[in-house]
Amino acid sequence: MAAFCVLVKGPCRGKMCDFWARVKLRKLHIDEIVEELQNSIIGCDDEIGSDLDKAFTQFWRDFGIRDLRRFCEEDCELCSKMKDAEEQIRMQMF
């Protein structure tokens, strides 16, 4: 049986825990998220498409979100905030 985590009030996820990433994401305004995303992909090539998707995925992993699919299933509001930030970046690039 998994250990109980008092922070998430449920089973401990160990290395897959993204509790602090959720806290940080809730506190950040969408403009701050967009700015962090922009800064993280500045060094990327000008190729758009799957490379941009990979850059977004890597950014969220570095941010602290370990499993994007599960994250979006569990917290639709924060997932929507993330997708909105990604969409703003895409619109700026085109």
Side-chain angles (χ1 to χ4, degrees), residues 37 40-42 44-60 86-87 89-91 93-94:
L37 265 171
S40 75
I41 62 174
I42 282 177
C44 294
D45 294 332
D46 291 332
E47 296 178 29
I48 309 281
S50 64
D51 289 336
L52 186 58
D53 292 333
K54 288 178 186 176
F56 288 152
T57 301
Q58 186 60 46
F59 172 81
W60 295 121
E86 290 176 7
E87 188 59 33
I89 297 291
R90 288 181 201 281
M91 290 182 352
M93 295 184 92
F94 290 111

PDB file of all heavy atoms in Angstrom, residues 37 40-42 44-60 86-87 89-91 93-94:
ATOM      1  N   LEU A  37       7.348  30.694 -20.796  1.00  0.00           N
ATOM      2  CA  LEU A  37       7.358  29.816 -21.971  1.00  0.00           C
ATOM      3  C   LEU A  37       8.199  30.420 -23.086  1.00  0.00           C
ATOM      4  O   LEU A  37       9.007  29.734 -23.710  1.00  0.00           O
ATOM      5  CB  LEU A  37       5.931  29.595 -22.474  1.00  0.00           C
ATOM      6  CG  LEU A  37       5.197  28.359 -22.003  1.00  0.00           C
ATOM      7  CD1 LEU A  37       3.736  28.417 -22.408  1.00  0.00           C
ATOM      8  CD2 LEU A  37       5.831  27.101 -22.512  1.00  0.00           C
ATOM      9  N   SER A  40      11.830  30.126 -22.443  1.00  0.00           N
ATOM     10  CA  SER A  40      12.342  28.755 -22.525  1.00  0.00           C
ATOM     11  C   SER A  40      12.506  28.281 -23.964  1.00  0.00           C
ATOM     12  O   SER A  40      13.327  27.403 -24.224  1.00  0.00           O
ATOM     13  CB  SER A  40      11.431  27.795 -21.763  1.00  0.00           C
ATOM     14  OG  SER A  40      10.247  27.547 -22.471  1.00  0.00           O
ATOM     15  N   ILE A  41      11.751  28.858 -24.901  1.00  0.00           N
ATOM     16  CA  ILE A  41      11.843  28.397 -26.289  1.00  0.00           C
ATOM     17  C   ILE A  41      12.606  29.360 -27.191  1.00  0.00           C
ATOM     18  O   ILE A  41      12.718  29.114 -28.384  1.00  0.00           O
ATOM     19  CB  ILE A  41      10.449  28.100 -26.896  1.00  0.00           C
ATOM     20  CG1 ILE A  41       9.581  29.344 -26.946  1.00  0.00           C
ATOM     21  CG2 ILE A  41       9.778  26.980 -26.156  1.00  0.00           C
ATOM     22  CD1 ILE A  41       8.270  29.137 -27.662  1.00  0.00           C
ATOM     23  N   ILE A  42      13.173  30.411 -26.633  1.00  0.00           N
ATOM     24  CA  ILE A  42      13.924  31.377 -27.434  1.00  0.00           C
ATOM     25  C   ILE A  42      15.076  30.702 -28.164  1.00  0.00           C
ATOM     26  O   ILE A  42      15.345  30.983 -29.324  1.00  0.00           O
ATOM     27  CB  ILE A  42      14.457  32.536 -26.554  1.00  0.00           C
ATOM     28  CG1 ILE A  42      13.318  33.514 -26.278  1.00  0.00           C
ATOM     29  CG2 ILE A  42      15.619  33.253 -27.206  1.00  0.00           C
ATOM     30  CD1 ILE A  42      13.681  34.647 -25.363  1.00  0.00           C
ATOM     31  N   CYS A  44      15.246  27.751 -29.295  1.00  0.00           N
ATOM     32  CA  CYS A  44      14.825  26.711 -30.230  1.00  0.00           C
ATOM     33  C   CYS A  44      14.969  27.179 -31.671  1.00  0.00           C
ATOM     34  O   CYS A  44      14.974  28.375 -31.954  1.00  0.00           O
ATOM     35  CB  CYS A  44      13.367  26.313 -29.976  1.00  0.00           C
ATOM     36  SG  CYS A  44      13.125  25.514 -28.387  1.00  0.00           S
ATOM     37  N   ASP A  45      15.050  26.231 -32.567  1.00  0.00           N
ATOM     38  CA  ASP A  45      15.121  26.550 -34.006  1.00  0.00           C
ATOM     39  C   ASP A  45      13.839  27.233 -34.451  1.00  0.00           C
ATOM     40  O   ASP A  45      12.838  27.218 -33.751  1.00  0.00           O
ATOM     41  CB  ASP A  45      15.308  25.273 -34.817  1.00  0.00           C
ATOM     42  CG  ASP A  45      16.655  24.633 -34.547  1.00  0.00           C
ATOM     43  OD1 ASP A  45      17.612  25.354 -34.197  1.00  0.00           O
ATOM     44  OD2 ASP A  45      16.727  23.413 -34.698  1.00  0.00           O
ATOM     45  N   ASP A  46      13.861  27.775 -35.651  1.00  0.00           N
ATOM     46  CA  ASP A  46      12.679  28.427 -36.203  1.00  0.00           C
ATOM     47  C   ASP A  46      11.661  27.426 -36.734  1.00  0.00           C
ATOM     48  O   ASP A  46      10.605  27.820 -37.216  1.00  0.00           O
ATOM     49  CB  ASP A  46      13.068  29.400 -37.320  1.00  0.00           C
ATOM     50  CG  ASP A  46      13.829  30.600 -36.768  1.00  0.00           C
ATOM     51  OD1 ASP A  46      13.601  30.939 -35.597  1.00  0.00           O
ATOM     52  OD2 ASP A  46      14.637  31.176 -37.510  1.00  0.00           O
ATOM     53  N   GLU A  47      11.989  26.147 -36.676  1.00  0.00           N
ATOM     54  CA  GLU A  47      11.052  25.131 -37.145  1.00  0.00           C
ATOM     55  C   GLU A  47       9.860  25.079 -36.200  1.00  0.00           C
ATOM     56  O   GLU A  47      10.014  25.010 -34.999  1.00  0.00           O
ATOM     57  CB  GLU A  47      11.720  23.762 -37.199  1.00  0.00           C
ATOM     58  CG  GLU A  47      12.851  23.708 -38.199  1.00  0.00           C
ATOM     59  CD  GLU A  47      13.524  22.353 -38.199  1.00  0.00           C
ATOM     60  OE1 GLU A  47      12.861  21.356 -37.888  1.00  0.00           O
ATOM     61  OE2 GLU A  47      14.717  22.319 -38.506  1.00  0.00           O
ATOM     62  N   ILE A  48       8.678  25.135 -36.764  1.00  0.00           N
ATOM     63  CA  ILE A  48       7.445  25.130 -35.996  1.00  0.00           C
ATOM     64  C   ILE A  48       6.770  23.775 -36.170  1.00  0.00           C
ATOM     65  O   ILE A  48       6.992  23.087 -37.137  1.00  0.00           O
ATOM     66  CB  ILE A  48       6.482  26.240 -36.495  1.00  0.00           C
ATOM     67  CG1 ILE A  48       7.198  27.581 -36.565  1.00  0.00           C
ATOM     68  CG2 ILE A  48       5.254  26.321 -35.633  1.00  0.00           C
ATOM     69  CD1 ILE A  48       7.375  28.299 -35.277  1.00  0.00           C
ATOM     70  N   GLY A  49       5.934  23.410 -35.237  1.00  0.00           N
ATOM     71  CA  GLY A  49       5.185  22.161 -35.356  1.00  0.00           C
ATOM     72  C   GLY A  49       5.494  21.243 -34.209  1.00  0.00           C
ATOM     73  O   GLY A  49       5.355  21.626 -33.066  1.00  0.00           O
ATOM     74  N   SER A  50       5.905  20.020 -34.531  1.00  0.00           N
ATOM     75  CA  SER A  50       6.142  19.037 -33.478  1.00  0.00           C
ATOM     76  C   SER A  50       7.282  19.475 -32.559  1.00  0.00           C
ATOM     77  O   SER A  50       7.293  19.140 -31.382  1.00  0.00           O
ATOM     78  CB  SER A  50       6.429  17.668 -34.077  1.00  0.00           C
ATOM     79  OG  SER A  50       7.619  17.707 -34.819  1.00  0.00           O
ATOM     80  N   ASP A  51       8.262  20.219 -33.087  1.00  0.00           N
ATOM     81  CA  ASP A  51       9.347  20.699 -32.243  1.00  0.00           C
ATOM     82  C   ASP A  51       8.829  21.665 -31.182  1.00  0.00           C
ATOM     83  O   ASP A  51       9.315  21.670 -30.053  1.00  0.00           O
ATOM     84  CB  ASP A  51      10.431  21.374 -33.074  1.00  0.00           C
ATOM     85  CG  ASP A  51      11.222  20.384 -33.914  1.00  0.00           C
ATOM     86  OD1 ASP A  51      11.262  19.194 -33.533  1.00  0.00           O
ATOM     87  OD2 ASP A  51      11.779  20.794 -34.932  1.00  0.00           O
ATOM     88  N   LEU A  52       7.868  22.479 -31.546  1.00  0.00           N
ATOM     89  CA  LEU A  52       7.275  23.395 -30.589  1.00  0.00           C
ATOM     90  C   LEU A  52       6.504  22.611 -29.527  1.00  0.00           C
ATOM     91  O   LEU A  52       6.592  22.913 -28.339  1.00  0.00           O
ATOM     92  CB  LEU A  52       6.351  24.392 -31.290  1.00  0.00           C
ATOM     93  CG  LEU A  52       5.766  25.505 -30.427  1.00  0.00           C
ATOM     94  CD1 LEU A  52       6.873  26.333 -29.786  1.00  0.00           C
ATOM     95  CD2 LEU A  52       4.863  26.397 -31.262  1.00  0.00           C
ATOM     96  N   ASP A  53       5.782  21.582 -29.952  1.00  0.00           N
ATOM     97  CA  ASP A  53       5.082  20.728 -28.998  1.00  0.00           C
ATOM     98  C   ASP A  53       6.052  20.059 -28.043  1.00  0.00           C
ATOM     99  O   ASP A  53       5.798  19.957 -26.844  1.00  0.00           O
ATOM    100  CB  ASP A  53       4.240  19.672 -29.716  1.00  0.00           C
ATOM    101  CG  ASP A  53       3.063  20.271 -30.468  1.00  0.00           C
ATOM    102  OD1 ASP A  53       2.595  21.359 -30.056  1.00  0.00           O
ATOM    103  OD2 ASP A  53       2.625  19.674 -31.461  1.00  0.00           O
ATOM    104  N   LYS A  54       7.177  19.611 -28.576  1.00  0.00           N
ATOM    105  CA  LYS A  54       8.201  18.993 -27.731  1.00  0.00           C
ATOM    106  C   LYS A  54       8.768  20.010 -26.745  1.00  0.00           C
ATOM    107  O   LYS A  54       9.044  19.683 -25.591  1.00  0.00           O
ATOM    108  CB  LYS A  54       9.321  18.409 -28.582  1.00  0.00           C
ATOM    109  CG  LYS A  54       8.924  17.165 -29.337  1.00  0.00           C
ATOM    110  CD  LYS A  54      10.065  16.675 -30.206  1.00  0.00           C
ATOM    111  CE  LYS A  54       9.623  15.515 -31.076  1.00  0.00           C
ATOM    112  NZ  LYS A  54      10.692  15.094 -31.998  1.00  0.00           N
ATOM    113  N   ALA A  55       8.954  21.251 -27.213  1.00  0.00           N
ATOM    114  CA  ALA A  55       9.469  22.303 -26.336  1.00  0.00           C
ATOM    115  C   ALA A  55       8.478  22.590 -25.207  1.00  0.00           C
ATOM    116  O   ALA A  55       8.886  22.775 -24.053  1.00  0.00           O
ATOM    117  CB  ALA A  55       9.738  23.573 -27.135  1.00  0.00           C
ATOM    118  N   PHE A  56       7.182  22.623 -25.533  1.00  0.00           N
ATOM    119  CA  PHE A  56       6.163  22.828 -24.500  1.00  0.00           C
ATOM    120  C   PHE A  56       6.182  21.684 -23.489  1.00  0.00           C
ATOM    121  O   PHE A  56       6.156  21.909 -22.282  1.00  0.00           O
ATOM    122  CB  PHE A  56       4.761  22.934 -25.111  1.00  0.00           C
ATOM    123  CG  PHE A  56       4.502  24.222 -25.851  1.00  0.00           C
ATOM    124  CD1 PHE A  56       3.593  24.244 -26.898  1.00  0.00           C
ATOM    125  CD2 PHE A  56       5.139  25.396 -25.518  1.00  0.00           C
ATOM    126  CE1 PHE A  56       3.327  25.420 -27.589  1.00  0.00           C
ATOM    127  CE2 PHE A  56       4.883  26.578 -26.196  1.00  0.00           C
ATOM    128  CZ  PHE A  56       3.978  26.588 -27.232  1.00  0.00           C
ATOM    129  N   THR A  57       6.232  20.462 -23.994  1.00  0.00           N
ATOM    130  CA  THR A  57       6.245  19.294 -23.111  1.00  0.00           C
ATOM    131  C   THR A  57       7.457  19.332 -22.188  1.00  0.00           C
ATOM    132  O   THR A  57       7.334  19.072 -20.988  1.00  0.00           O
ATOM    133  CB  THR A  57       6.249  17.991 -23.941  1.00  0.00           C
ATOM    134  OG1 THR A  57       5.082  17.972 -24.760  1.00  0.00           O
ATOM    135  CG2 THR A  57       6.274  16.771 -23.048  1.00  0.00           C
ATOM    136  N   GLN A  58       8.613  19.678 -22.741  1.00  0.00           N
ATOM    137  CA  GLN A  58       9.820  19.756 -21.915  1.00  0.00           C
ATOM    138  C   GLN A  58       9.714  20.879 -20.885  1.00  0.00           C
ATOM    139  O   GLN A  58      10.147  20.731 -19.748  1.00  0.00           O
ATOM    140  CB  GLN A  58      11.061  19.951 -22.793  1.00  0.00           C
ATOM    141  CG  GLN A  58      12.355  19.887 -22.016  1.00  0.00           C
ATOM    142  CD  GLN A  58      12.547  18.556 -21.304  1.00  0.00           C
ATOM    143  OE1 GLN A  58      12.349  17.507 -21.885  1.00  0.00           O
ATOM    144  NE2 GLN A  58      12.915  18.610 -20.034  1.00  0.00           N
ATOM    145  N   PHE A  59       9.132  22.015 -21.284  1.00  0.00           N
ATOM    146  CA  PHE A  59       8.951  23.123 -20.346  1.00  0.00           C
ATOM    147  C   PHE A  59       8.107  22.680 -19.157  1.00  0.00           C
ATOM    148  O   PHE A  59       8.449  22.946 -18.008  1.00  0.00           O
ATOM    149  CB  PHE A  59       8.292  24.331 -21.039  1.00  0.00           C
ATOM    150  CG  PHE A  59       7.919  25.410 -20.072  1.00  0.00           C
ATOM    151  CD1 PHE A  59       8.872  26.305 -19.615  1.00  0.00           C
ATOM    152  CD2 PHE A  59       6.615  25.533 -19.598  1.00  0.00           C
ATOM    153  CE1 PHE A  59       8.544  27.306 -18.709  1.00  0.00           C
ATOM    154  CE2 PHE A  59       6.275  26.520 -18.700  1.00  0.00           C
ATOM    155  CZ  PHE A  59       7.233  27.413 -18.249  1.00  0.00           C
ATOM    156  N   TRP A  60       6.975  22.007 -19.432  1.00  0.00           N
ATOM    157  CA  TRP A  60       6.099  21.586 -18.338  1.00  0.00           C
ATOM    158  C   TRP A  60       6.775  20.540 -17.466  1.00  0.00           C
ATOM    159  O   TRP A  60       6.602  20.519 -16.257  1.00  0.00           O
ATOM    160  CB  TRP A  60       4.759  21.082 -18.883  1.00  0.00           C
ATOM    161  CG  TRP A  60       3.986  22.173 -19.552  1.00  0.00           C
ATOM    162  CD1 TRP A  60       3.554  22.195 -20.839  1.00  0.00           C
ATOM    163  CD2 TRP A  60       3.565  23.423 -18.982  1.00  0.00           C
ATOM    164  NE1 TRP A  60       2.899  23.379 -21.102  1.00  0.00           N
ATOM    165  CE2 TRP A  60       2.898  24.147 -19.983  1.00  0.00           C
ATOM    166  CE3 TRP A  60       3.713  24.011 -17.730  1.00  0.00           C
ATOM    167  CZ2 TRP A  60       2.364  25.416 -19.763  1.00  0.00           C
ATOM    168  CZ3 TRP A  60       3.179  25.279 -17.507  1.00  0.00           C
ATOM    169  CH2 TRP A  60       2.520  25.962 -18.517  1.00  0.00           C
ATOM    170  N   GLU A  86       0.057  28.258 -24.046  1.00  0.00           N
ATOM    171  CA  GLU A  86       0.652  27.676 -25.255  1.00  0.00           C
ATOM    172  C   GLU A  86       0.043  28.288 -26.509  1.00  0.00           C
ATOM    173  O   GLU A  86       0.747  28.594 -27.472  1.00  0.00           O
ATOM    174  CB  GLU A  86       0.466  26.160 -25.274  1.00  0.00           C
ATOM    175  CG  GLU A  86       1.280  25.424 -24.248  1.00  0.00           C
ATOM    176  CD  GLU A  86       0.997  23.928 -24.236  1.00  0.00           C
ATOM    177  OE1 GLU A  86       0.258  23.435 -25.121  1.00  0.00           O
ATOM    178  OE2 GLU A  86       1.524  23.250 -23.342  1.00  0.00           O
ATOM    179  N   GLU A  87      -1.267  28.473 -26.497  1.00  0.00           N
ATOM    180  CA  GLU A  87      -1.954  29.042 -27.659  1.00  0.00           C
ATOM    181  C   GLU A  87      -1.503  30.481 -27.913  1.00  0.00           C
ATOM    182  O   GLU A  87      -1.354  30.894 -29.069  1.00  0.00           O
ATOM    183  CB  GLU A  87      -3.466  28.976 -27.454  1.00  0.00           C
ATOM    184  CG  GLU A  87      -4.266  29.360 -28.672  1.00  0.00           C
ATOM    185  CD  GLU A  87      -3.978  28.480 -29.885  1.00  0.00           C
ATOM    186  OE1 GLU A  87      -3.699  27.272 -29.720  1.00  0.00           O
ATOM    187  OE2 GLU A  87      -4.021  28.992 -31.011  1.00  0.00           O
ATOM    188  N   ILE A  89       1.431  31.677 -27.325  1.00  0.00           N
ATOM    189  CA  ILE A  89       2.755  31.570 -27.944  1.00  0.00           C
ATOM    190  C   ILE A  89       2.594  31.228 -29.434  1.00  0.00           C
ATOM    191  O   ILE A  89       3.247  31.823 -30.290  1.00  0.00           O
ATOM    192  CB  ILE A  89       3.595  30.473 -27.256  1.00  0.00           C
ATOM    193  CG1 ILE A  89       3.857  30.827 -25.800  1.00  0.00           C
ATOM    194  CG2 ILE A  89       4.910  30.235 -28.015  1.00  0.00           C
ATOM    195  CD1 ILE A  89       4.772  32.000 -25.576  1.00  0.00           C
ATOM    196  N   ARG A  90       1.737  30.270 -29.728  1.00  0.00           N
ATOM    197  CA  ARG A  90       1.517  29.869 -31.125  1.00  0.00           C
ATOM    198  C   ARG A  90       1.020  31.050 -31.962  1.00  0.00           C
ATOM    199  O   ARG A  90       1.454  31.233 -33.100  1.00  0.00           O
ATOM    200  CB  ARG A  90       0.503  28.741 -31.212  1.00  0.00           C
ATOM    201  CG  ARG A  90       1.021  27.415 -30.724  1.00  0.00           C
ATOM    202  CD  ARG A  90      -0.070  26.347 -30.889  1.00  0.00           C
ATOM    203  NE  ARG A  90       0.147  25.213 -30.028  1.00  0.00           N
ATOM    204  CZ  ARG A  90       1.011  24.234 -30.268  1.00  0.00           C
ATOM    205  NH1 ARG A  90       1.752  24.264 -31.345  1.00  0.00           N
ATOM    206  NH2 ARG A  90       1.151  23.235 -29.427  1.00  0.00           N
ATOM    207  N   MET A  91       0.099  31.840 -31.424  1.00  0.00           N
ATOM    208  CA  MET A  91      -0.442  32.983 -32.161  1.00  0.00           C
ATOM    209  C   MET A  91       0.632  34.030 -32.406  1.00  0.00           C
ATOM    210  O   MET A  91       0.645  34.682 -33.449  1.00  0.00           O
ATOM    211  CB  MET A  91      -1.642  33.577 -31.422  1.00  0.00           C
ATOM    212  CG  MET A  91      -2.838  32.684 -31.449  1.00  0.00           C
ATOM    213  SD  MET A  91      -4.364  33.277 -30.663  1.00  0.00           S
ATOM    214  CE  MET A  91      -3.967  34.741 -29.825  1.00  0.00           C
ATOM    215  N   MET A  93       3.761  33.448 -32.850  1.00  0.00           N
ATOM    216  CA  MET A  93       4.758  32.933 -33.783  1.00  0.00           C
ATOM    217  C   MET A  93       4.265  32.951 -35.224  1.00  0.00           C
ATOM    218  O   MET A  93       5.063  32.901 -36.152  1.00  0.00           O
ATOM    219  CB  MET A  93       5.184  31.526 -33.383  1.00  0.00           C
ATOM    220  CG  MET A  93       5.893  31.501 -32.039  1.00  0.00           C
ATOM    221  SD  MET A  93       6.490  29.891 -31.625  1.00  0.00           S
ATOM    222  CE  MET A  93       8.132  30.012 -32.305  1.00  0.00           C
ATOM    223  N   PHE A  94       2.971  33.002 -35.410  1.00  0.00           N
ATOM    224  CA  PHE A  94       2.444  32.968 -36.777  1.00  0.00           C
ATOM    225  C   PHE A  94       1.991  34.308 -37.226  1.00  0.00           C
ATOM    226  O   PHE A  94       1.491  35.127 -36.907  1.00  0.00           O
ATOM    227  CB  PHE A  94       1.292  31.958 -36.901  1.00  0.00           C
ATOM    228  CG  PHE A  94       1.773  30.534 -36.793  1.00  0.00           C
ATOM    229  CD1 PHE A  94       1.458  29.762 -35.694  1.00  0.00           C
ATOM    230  CD2 PHE A  94       2.560  29.992 -37.781  1.00  0.00           C
ATOM    231  CE1 PHE A  94       1.882  28.461 -35.605  1.00  0.00           C
ATOM    232  CE2 PHE A  94       2.994  28.679 -37.697  1.00  0.00           C
ATOM    233  CZ  PHE A  94       2.656  27.918 -36.604  1.00  0.00           C
TER     234      PHE A  94
END
